[in-house]
Amino acid sequence: MHRRVVMPLILVVMGALIAPRVLPEYYLSLLNYVGLYSIVALGMVLLTGVGGLTSFGQAAFVGIGAYATAVLTTQMGLSPWLGLMAGLVITGLIATLLGLLTLRLSGHYLPIGTLAWGISLYYLFGNLPNLGGFSGISHLPAITLFGWTVSSSQDFGVLIWVIVGAVMWLLSNLLDSREGRAIRALFGGSVMAEAMGVSTARSKLLIFIYAALLAAVSGWLYAHMQRFVNPSPFSINMGIEYLFMILLGGASTLGGAVLGAAMVTGLKEWLQGILPMLFGQNGNYEAIFFGGLIILCLLYARQGVWPVVVSRVPFLRPRARNLTALKTAAPLPQKAPLPAGEPLLVAEGVTKKFGGLVANNNMSLTIKTGQITALIGPNGAGKSTLFNLLTGLLPLTSGKIEFRGQRIDGLSSRKIAALGVSRSFQHVRLIPTMSVLENVALGAHRRGLAGYIRSGLHLERAEEASILAEAARQIERVGLAKHMHDAAGSLALGQQRIVEIARALCADPYLLLLDEPAAGLRHLEKEALAELLMRLRAEGMAVLMVEHDMDFLMGLADYVVVMEFGQKLAEGLPEEIQENPKVLAAYLGGDVA
């Protein structure tokens, strides 16, 4: 577990044990609401702060959890625990349906979609006769646990904050795993994640469901603490307040979720007492105050208050990962090497049209194992488009692509990655806030099996150690060992390109596609890269490389394919290409020997 989560978790546990014994009833009740809101906010950190999916509808999921237990316990005489189970099942089903519908939206359409169903569910709560209308349902029974009746504020304080601590522990474990890296890659890195074998649609749906289930747990606790449920606490206004909480506290941090819940709850209570004295009894003035506060936060503390606190308190700062356990980790299974010189990827008649623009026209090439193939041509020749066609990021207009005898055109990029194709990108695609080690480990995503439940319960440590050990090995292999714990975004552009190569190698591919890998590298770095590629060739790996540095390329490539205007201009051995008049005229220039 990350140290950045340990301290907030310790504070939460201490608060759960001490607060009920020392706080007056009013403040204890206020603290209980902070805990209830924290559970929802923690789910929103996973969904919005880390996953990048903005939702205004979480209050509706709180309502589903509350109404499920209210109906089952008051109208059917079932226990609150069965009400909890039913609420989780109903919430899970509704969240799955809503997720499948709304998560297909992108940009500003997604939050608008969540706004729509959030409002719809709120009015559904108030208009269904069996739910008591806007008058609500009362006389909910108390929660009992092994003879302990949870009825007083002190009792609920212990239960609520123990659950908050458990949720923080589970989410911390999840985010510190292969599935957690996949979640963190969703925010601005979906294309790269798919190319590394991550099912981004699955990850989005799962975190959407997880956040909804946590909201339902909060609703269940709220219903039995109040012994009364009506639609008012589940309106869209409350959904906006949950967003305020994580924005103020720190949208991407678990400690920030709790801090934000405390700030909004405390400020709201204080303002409701102070503002009417200043401006009169009528009016919702605290909403105006919170609007201004959010603007100030976005201007001066865009990451939230918690990161500011962490930056000023040394013992809260994250420390480098201890790699001692990685030295004894079992190696990941590796693919059996293929015989050298065999056709690995065969593309025939590949054509790609964007409306009237023909980016690739009847392109064909064959890549063999144990061979470095160079793909060259002027800017705009269609090289990167061909890369995207070969790796499934773009669909073909016509033609076919086979990999190891299997048709792969039409397959998704993650399925192609699973077959043994890995790549870098023309424009570097790393998660800048993640360490080099974590970025490279993302390449081994498909080499692990642990899912959300095992990761959350911390039962995948052996597999995680093997993945990180493989990532560390690849980082050392490319010569960036001293930068292993640095944030990837802090590296120079050339070093970031090397990190991408290490990530691609971490996937254990048969075929490595490199898009301008030497761009931004200094002379010695290019020599080190050339040595690495020659070692990979000797190991039987196939490499397809786009590069503009002819001195670097011609001394390294076994075979060269030249493109111009989306078509193949020439192909052959490097020395043949350097003497080809068409190539000299179109690209290399007459002074090339």
Side-chain angles (χ1 to χ4, degrees):
M1 187 187 304
H2 282 293
R3 184 176 177 178
R4 72 187 75 181
V5 178
V6 171
M7 290 307 300
L9 186 54
I10 291 174
L11 294 174
V12 165
V13 173
M14 290 177 61
L17 296 175
I18 297 173
R21 305 177 187 277
V22 299
L23 290 179
E25 181 71 20
Y26 171 77
Y27 290 106
L28 187 58
S29 177
L30 202 62
L31 191 62
N32 289 345
Y33 278 104
V34 172
L36 292 175
Y37 299 152
S38 294
I39 296 172
V40 185
L42 285 165
M44 292 196 68
V45 165
L46 186 68
L47 178 67
T48 303
V50 180
L53 305 174
T54 303
S55 172
F56 289 101
Q58 297 308 107
F61 291 127
V62 179
I64 293 172
Y67 271 102
T69 193
V71 170
L72 291 178
T73 55
T74 60
Q75 299 178 17
M76 302 179 66
L78 301 179
S79 78
W81 294 103
L82 288 175
L84 172 62
M85 294 299 105
L88 292 175
V89 171
I90 295 170
T91 301
L93 293 174
I94 293 176
T96 301
L97 177 61
L98 292 175
L100 290 173
L101 292 173
T102 56
L103 294 179
R104 299 169 64 184
L105 302 173
S106 60
H108 59 277
Y109 295 107
L110 175 59
I112 291 174
T114 65
L115 193 66
W117 55 252
I119 294 173
S120 298
L121 287 172
Y122 167 71
Y123 282 105
L124 189 67
F125 296 148
N127 286 283
L128 285 179
N130 290 340
L131 301 185
F134 284 94
S135 298
I137 302 173
S138 57
H139 305 298
L140 273 71
I143 298 171
T144 57
L145 180 63
F146 302 117
W148 171 39
T149 301
V150 184
S151 56
S152 66
S153 295
Q154 290 83 355
D155 294 335
F156 270 100
V158 173
L159 179 60
I160 289 170
W161 284 99
V162 166
I163 291 176
V164 171
V167 170
M168 292 182 71
W169 180 74
L170 289 168
L171 294 185
S172 172
N173 293 340
L174 175 60
L175 291 173
D176 188 26
S177 69
R178 72 182 273 276
E179 292 285 16
R181 285 187 293 273
I183 295 169
R184 284 182 280 169
L186 295 176
F187 201 171
S190 293
V191 172
M192 175 272 295
E194 285 280 338
M196 294 300 112
V198 175
S199 174
T200 56
R202 170 183 173 273
S203 294
K204 289 177 181 179
L205 180 60
L206 285 175
I207 62 174
F208 186 80
I209 294 171
Y210 265 53
L213 292 176
L214 290 178
V217 171
S218 177
W220 174 75
L221 288 167
Y222 170 82
H224 289 283
M225 185 176 76
Q226 291 290 97
R227 303 286 184 90
F228 169 76
V229 175
N230 77 344
S232 298
F234 315 126
S235 68
I236 202 66
N237 290 337
M238 195 64 215
I240 295 172
E241 280 194 24
Y242 289 131
L243 276 174
F244 278 180
M245 291 173 192
I246 64 168
L247 284 173
L248 286 174
S252 61
T253 61
L254 301 181
V258 179
L259 178 61
M263 290 176 63
V264 170
T265 305
L267 282 171
K268 189 175 180 180
E269 283 294 311
W270 179 71
L271 291 171
Q272 285 177 343
I274 296 295
L275 293 180
M277 296 171 57
L278 298 176
F279 301 105
Q281 297 299 316
N282 297 322
N284 191 11
Y285 295 108
E286 63 271 15
I288 301 172
F289 180 89
F290 277 120
L293 187 60
I294 288 295
I295 293 172
L296 290 174
C297 184
L298 292 175
L299 287 173
Y300 300 107
R302 190 164 296 179
Q303 303 303 315
V305 176
W306 181 255
V308 176
V309 173
V310 169
S311 67
R312 286 164 171 74
V313 182
F315 68 86
L316 289 177
R317 296 172 191 166
R319 57 187 174 186
R321 188 187 296 269
N322 186 355
L323 299 181
T324 304
L326 306 188
K327 297 178 181 178
T328 58
L332 291 174
Q334 291 186 314
K335 298 182 179 72
L338 300 176
E342 291 190 354
L344 183 64
L345 183 142
V346 178
E348 296 179 356
V350 171
T351 299
K352 178 61 180 177
K353 297 179 180 179
F354 297 97
L357 174 65
V358 182
N360 285 162
N361 186 16
N362 197 33
M363 269 298 300
S364 299
L365 78 163
T366 298
I367 301 170
K368 297 180 180 180
T369 55
Q371 177 178 289
I372 298 176
T373 303
L375 182 64
I376 67 173
N379 289 331
K383 304 182 297 297
S384 293
T385 299
L386 182 59
F387 257 46
N388 291 334
L389 294 172
L390 296 178
T391 55
L393 291 181
L394 289 175
L396 272 69
T397 302
S398 62
K400 70 174 183 177
I401 303 171
E402 293 184 351
F403 182 77
R404 300 185 66 194
Q406 175 184 343
R407 286 284 295 266
I408 62 171
D409 51 282
L411 295 182
S412 66
S413 56
R414 68 176 180 275
K415 291 181 179 178
I416 293 175
L419 296 174
V421 179
S422 196
R423 66 168 295 175
S424 67
F425 293 86
Q426 181 182 17
H427 303 291
V428 172
R429 294 178 184 265
L430 297 174
I431 309 302
T433 56
M434 283 170 52
S435 70
V436 169
L437 180 66
E438 291 174 306
N439 269 281
V440 174
L442 192 61
H445 182 80
R446 291 198 66 92
R447 300 175 72 181
L449 298 174
Y452 278 54
I453 295 176
R454 279 179 61 192
S455 298
L457 295 175
H458 224 42
L459 300 177
E460 54 20 299
R461 289 295 93 186
E463 179 185 278
E464 177 69 2
S466 296
I467 290 175
L468 293 177
E470 175 67 12
R473 185 175 76 85
Q474 298 299 344
I475 293 169
E476 293 171 354
R477 191 180 191 184
V478 300
L480 290 178
K482 66 179 181 180
H483 296 291
M484 193 173 298
H485 300 296
D486 295 344
S490 68
L491 271 59
L493 177 60
Q495 292 173 321
Q496 291 183 21
R497 292 191 181 278
I498 300 299
V499 172
E500 281 206 323
I501 295 174
R503 183 183 63 199
L505 291 174
C506 209
D508 187 29
Y510 290 123
L511 172 60
L512 183 63
L513 285 81
L514 303 179
D515 201 343
E516 300 187 27
L521 298 186
R522 293 170 291 187
H523 179 69
L524 292 178
E525 292 172 331
K526 288 181 181 180
E527 288 185 348
L529 175 59
E531 291 176 4
L532 171 64
L533 294 177
M534 287 188 287
R535 289 199 303 271
L536 295 174
R537 175 175 58 191
E539 294 170 7
M541 187 177 296
V543 179
L544 176 62
M545 179 168 51
V546 169
E547 184 54 61
H548 289 291
D549 187 334
M550 293 298 106
D551 291 333
F552 172 79
L553 193 64
M554 290 302 180
L556 189 62
D558 300 298
Y559 199 75
V560 181
V561 178
V562 186
M563 291 184 67
E564 186 183 32
F565 302 121
Q567 296 177 307
K568 185 190 296 183
L569 179 65
E571 63 179 324
L573 300 176
E575 53 270 23
E576 295 172 347
I577 294 299
Q578 292 180 83
E579 296 173 357
N580 189 306
K582 293 181 180 179
V583 177
L584 291 174
Y587 183 62
L588 293 178
D591 60 340
V592 177

